[in-house]
Amino acid sequence: MEKIHLKNLNYKELEDFVEKQGWKKFRARQIARWIYNKKVSSFDEMTDLSKDIRKYLKENTQLNALELVTYEKSKEDGSIKFLWRLQDGHTVESVFIPEKGHNTLCISTQVGCAVGCKFCFTTKDGLIRNLTTAEIVDQYIQSQRFVGFEPEKRISNIVYMGMGEPLANYENVKKSVQIFTDEKMAGLSNRKITISSSGIIHQILKMYQDKEFPQVRLAVSINAADQKTRQEIMPISETNTLQDLMKTLNSLPVKTGYRIMLEYVLIKGVNDSPKDAHKLAKLIGKNKKRYKVNLIPFNPHPGSPYQRPDEKTVEQFHKILWQYNIGAFVRWSKGKDISAACGQLRKKDISNTQLGKKVSFITKTALNVK
């Protein structure tokens, strides 16, 4: 019989599991506290549970969904890229990003990606599979465990901007958001969680219509202000056209303070001209208060035909948007020196021999991460 993975369960499901075993309902709260507050790595650490309960959990459930293979720490900005091994041998990456006043974790939702954006390294392998809820949630728990529990190292922000299209893994992403925002579980603020999508219109609508999906922030990769250019670099635009996408975004019931982020990767000679900036401003039109534009200078990766624009071009584009009173910000991605920046994450192939060596090294060094 396959063991139940506890991190696949939202709080209601965890309560149902506890009651099914004939245990008191408050045991669910205790188990959740050990997993999400204490972030323990073994059932033996759950000391306020009886030995019989711990024995049952150990024999019938799973606690950890990932193994840490290796990590790289940026010398430029302190970002840490983690390589996780899944139980079936596949790997995914996530990134811890220290920022002024808070820390962000960029998490993955799929092994590979099927969307096919031509400027993104992740999509080169295509889609291999969706991550389970446990595999998504465990990136947060194990990353926090790795960097430490001092207040200044607390991960308060989560962005679904790693490998994969989050809304193509809808149910597992939804449940992970429930776990992250439930005060009896991870207890993170809804406002500090962002789901990034390539613009799958029916899934965006579903997310906003689904009463069980906690409202969090939405970011949409737009990357061009005209259909022709967007379709060239984002094939998904053939069926999810720019016109239909903007019509949908303009109609969403967005809460005050939850502006939609339009992500725009600036690619030299493709979408970075003053003309493109004016077209983007026109596309947003009268809906300035609904959006924030995130300008991301392209991050090069092996085999890419594209180049990053120079700083002068980026600033000119930025300035034009501000002339239209559009809230626009340049995001100079962190972790570039370790290939951890936007669009640079990718599945890695590893051998069991490599795994053993790297985990041994990490076990000795993890506590020394500054």
Side-chain angles (χ1 to χ4, degrees):
M1 186 178 72
E2 188 176 351
K3 291 184 176 183
I4 294 170
H5 208 301
L6 293 178
K7 290 170 188 166
N8 274 333
L9 308 180
N10 60 26
Y11 194 73
K12 174 64 168 60
E13 292 169 337
L14 182 59
E15 280 190 325
D16 291 345
F17 167 78
V18 163
E19 290 188 311
K20 188 177 179 181
Q21 314 316 315
W23 304 337
K24 298 290 185 182
K25 202 170 183 179
F26 73 88
R27 295 298 185 189
R29 189 69 180 257
Q30 288 179 310
I31 293 169
R33 186 175 68 248
W34 284 112
I35 294 174
Y36 298 103
N37 186 269
K38 301 292 186 181
K39 299 177 177 63
V40 298
S41 58
S42 72
F43 293 111
D44 293 330
E45 296 174 80
M46 299 181 178
T47 52
D48 60 356
L49 300 179
S50 70
K51 288 184 179 180
D52 287 343
I53 291 178
R54 279 182 275 165
K55 183 175 184 291
Y56 182 88
L57 291 174
K58 197 180 297 185
E59 292 175 352
N60 296 279
T61 70
Q62 295 185 71
L63 186 57
N64 299 308
L66 310 171
E67 272 186 279
L68 181 56
V69 179
T70 189
Y71 71 92
E72 294 178 83
K73 185 174 181 181
S74 170
K75 295 178 181 178
E76 295 179 355
D77 52 53
S79 297
I80 302 171
K81 181 172 72 171
F82 299 105
L83 178 66
W84 309 105
R85 183 181 186 270
L86 312 179
Q87 291 178 352
D88 61 4
H90 289 305
T91 60
V92 293
E93 294 181 321
S94 48
V95 185
F96 172 81
I97 308 166
E99 301 183 82
K100 189 175 181 180
H102 68 276
N103 299 304
T104 297
L105 185 70
C106 176
I107 60 175
S108 294
T109 56
Q110 296 180 310
V111 183
C113 183
V115 174
C117 300
K118 293 183 180 179
F119 52 83
C120 182
F121 198 37
T122 304
T123 197
K124 297 299 181 183
D125 295 316
L127 176 65
I128 296 171
R129 72 168 175 85
N130 287 331
L131 296 188
T132 65
T133 300
E135 290 165 341
I136 296 170
V137 170
D138 215 14
Q139 292 174 66
Y140 159 70
I141 291 175
Q142 292 211 40
S143 296
Q144 185 69 82
R145 191 188 300 155
F146 182 91
V147 300
F149 298 101
E150 295 90 340
E152 67 274 13
K153 294 179 181 177
R154 177 177 177 267
I155 297 169
S156 60
N157 294 45
I158 291 179
V159 293
Y160 288 74
M161 295 181 181
M163 297 168 59
E165 162 57 62
L167 296 185
N169 186 10
Y170 185 88
E171 291 300 329
N172 289 324
V173 166
K174 175 173 114 175
K175 195 179 288 188
S176 71
V177 173
Q178 291 172 341
I179 290 169
F180 285 143
T181 58
D182 193 321
E183 63 177 12
K184 297 182 291 296
M185 302 187 98
L188 299 176
S189 168
N190 294 53
R191 289 176 178 270
K192 296 186 177 181
I193 295 176
T194 302
I195 293 177
S196 177
S197 174
S198 59
I200 305 177
I201 294 171
H202 71 281
Q203 292 294 76
I204 292 173
L205 286 170
K206 182 180 179 180
M207 177 177 138
Y208 276 84
Q209 293 165 355
D210 188 344
K211 293 181 180 179
E212 294 182 351
F213 203 124
Q215 182 159 144
V216 292
R217 295 184 184 276
L218 174 67
V220 178
S221 294
I222 189 166
N223 302 320
D226 64 88
Q227 173 64 18
K228 182 181 177 182
T229 304
R230 189 171 193 266
Q231 190 170 322
E232 285 176 358
I233 59 176
M234 297 184 71
I236 193 173
S237 196
E238 183 175 349
T239 52
N240 294 262
T241 67
L242 181 59
Q243 181 181 7
D244 289 343
L245 177 60
M246 292 305 297
K247 184 178 178 181
T248 299
L249 297 181
N250 287 335
S251 70
L252 293 177
V254 179
K255 287 182 180 179
T256 302
Y258 280 74
R259 284 194 294 172
I260 297 169
M261 184 186 300
L262 299 179
E263 296 179 293
Y264 194 104
V265 176
L266 286 161
I267 304 171
K268 184 177 181 179
V270 176
N271 62 358
D272 64 340
S273 70
K275 184 179 179 180
D276 291 311
H278 289 292
K279 282 196 291 186
L280 179 56
K282 185 178 180 181
L283 186 70
I284 294 171
K286 297 178 180 179
N287 297 293
K288 299 181 182 71
K289 293 183 179 179
R290 174 171 284 260
Y291 300 108
K292 180 171 77 171
V293 178
N294 221 356
L295 300 174
I296 308 167
F298 172 70
N299 295 303
H301 53 77
S304 173
Y306 300 116
Q307 295 180 329
R308 169 187 286 236
D310 57 41
E311 289 191 28
K312 183 178 178 181
T313 300
V314 173
E315 287 305 321
Q316 184 180 35
F317 198 103
H318 183 210
K319 186 177 179 181
I320 290 170
L321 294 182
W322 273 109
Q323 288 171 353
Y324 284 92
N325 294 318
I326 292 171
F329 306 86
V330 179
R331 192 175 94 205
W332 296 100
S333 298
K334 293 189 175 184
K336 295 192 299 296
D337 60 322
I338 54 171
S339 295
C342 179
Q344 292 185 323
L345 302 187
R346 193 178 182 188
K347 172 185 179 295
K348 302 289 192 303
D349 292 316
I350 55 171
S351 67
N352 289 329
T353 303
Q354 288 175 308
L355 176 64
K357 287 180 180 178
K358 291 176 180 177
V359 168
S360 175
F361 169 71
I362 288 169
T363 302
K364 295 175 183 175
T365 61
L367 295 179
N368 294 322
V369 173
K370 302 293 184 182

